[in-house]
Amino acid sequence: MADWAITDLVEHPEWLDPIVEWQYAEWLRLSDAAALSQSQLAKALHERQLHMQTRLTRDPLPKTFVAHSGDQPVGSVSLVRFSTDPDAKLWLTNLYVKPSWRYKGIGSALLAQGEIAARGLEVKDLWLYSHDSADYYLKFGWRWEKTAELRGCRVEVLHKQLLRSGPF
């Protein structure tokens, strides 16, 4: 039996800060942050905190799910639209599992939870981008769509069809 579970972040707003710190650390690792001043880095962290606070509502989007062991968060994933247009693409973002909790099925469970939530919204297609883990998603039925540039970083854009249109 797993010693972890998955919960909506809205149920545990006290987990917001550690999740923001994980995302910020990943952003630093994957970006050209070395060129930024301390004040620019602090501003980026503050903006990430404000952005993530939008997940603390019961609205269907944006949504963050948290894997946790007891009262400790160990991983997370989010569903977002990068536009206020209700027809905009739905993106699965920020899949992260703490290194000491990897290889226990948490990442795949968070990925599945995001897909289940997207299906519940009757979304036909789900999108994601990855800096360095596209192969991981391909194992779960995601399709590579293209290579793109996002904020100066090369990313792989992937897609998964969730709901089929038509009878077959």
Side-chain angles (χ1 to χ4, degrees):
M1 183 173 179
D3 58 346
W4 52 269
I6 297 176
T7 305
D8 189 324
L9 177 62
V10 76
E11 302 298 329
H12 291 277
E14 69 274 14
W15 294 342
L16 182 70
D17 287 341
I19 292 168
V20 168
E21 289 171 17
W22 300 338
Q23 292 177 358
Y24 183 70
E26 281 297 290
W27 172 75
L28 288 176
R29 182 181 72 81
L30 296 168
S31 71
D32 190 20
L36 300 177
S37 70
Q38 284 301 106
S39 65
Q40 289 171 314
L41 290 170
K43 180 181 178 198
L45 177 59
H46 179 71
E47 288 172 353
R48 168 58 60 189
Q49 287 168 325
L50 293 175
H51 173 74
M52 285 298 293
Q53 286 175 359
T54 65
R55 315 291 165 84
L56 297 176
T57 73
R58 300 242 179 238
D59 295 339
L61 292 173
K63 182 66 63 191
T64 295
F65 298 101
V66 183
H68 59 94
S69 178
D71 64 353
Q72 296 299 309
V74 299
S76 65
V77 70
S78 295
L79 287 175
V80 301
R81 281 202 169 96
F82 293 121
S83 167
T84 57
D85 178 354
D87 294 325
K89 291 178 180 174
L90 184 63
W91 293 82
L92 185 130
T93 66
N94 298 312
L95 176 61
Y96 180 83
V97 177
K98 289 175 69 171
S100 61
W101 284 88
R102 293 179 185 169
Y103 307 104
K104 298 176 191 256
I106 296 171
S108 60
L110 286 165
L111 186 60
Q113 181 65 45
E115 292 176 15
I116 289 166
R119 281 187 185 97
L121 296 170
E122 298 184 2
V123 172
K124 189 169 86 170
D125 298 290
L126 190 56
W127 298 84
L128 67 80
Y129 62 86
S130 175
H131 293 272
D132 57 5
S133 301
D135 288 344
Y136 176 79
Y137 299 103
L138 294 172
K139 293 187 299 188
F140 295 100
W142 289 77
R143 274 191 10 240
W144 180 88
E145 291 291 328
K146 65 181 179 179
T147 300
E149 189 169 307
L150 179 66
R151 294 185 286 276
C153 296
R154 183 176 160 250
V155 298
E156 303 299 323
V157 178
L158 293 100
H159 164 256
K160 188 166 190 179
Q161 186 176 24
L162 300 177
L163 300 176
R164 300 188 188 279
S165 56
F168 301 102

